[in-house]
Amino acid sequence: DHMATAYVSIGPLKVPGILDGEISRSATVSTSGTSALSSITAGASEVAIVFCQTAVYARSGGTATAATSVFCPAGVPTAIGMTQGDAVALIDA
C-alpha cells in the first residue's frame, strides 16, 4: 500500500469540461488501499474533477472499487458525474 494525495473539485459546469470558478470547491483526500470519502459533497447537477499523481479509482458515493468506479490515470484530471449529496469515494488503483 502507498498513500497519495488526491485533489477533488466539485461544482457545476460553466462550459463542457470547465467548472464554474465562482462556486466550485476543492478538498484533498489521502488515498490508500481502502476506500476514502472526500469532505465535500455534490449539489444538484454538479460534477467532480479528480486529480492525483498516482492512478486512483473514483465514484460518486458508496465504496470505491476497481469494479464499481471510474479509473483516473496518474496525472490526468478526470471528470466524473455526481449524485446530489454524494461525496467522492477514492481508492488506489
Side-chain angles (χ1 to χ4, degrees), residues 7-26 40 45-50 77-80 82:
Y7 299 88
V8 175
S9 297
I10 296 176
L13 292 175
K14 189 80 166 177
V15 296
I18 310 251
L19 293 179
D20 186 323
E22 292 186 359
I23 57 175
S24 296
R25 56 247 175 248
S26 299
I40 54 177
S45 301
E46 290 188 328
V47 298
I49 307 285
V50 176
T78 305
I80 63 169
M82 295 295 294

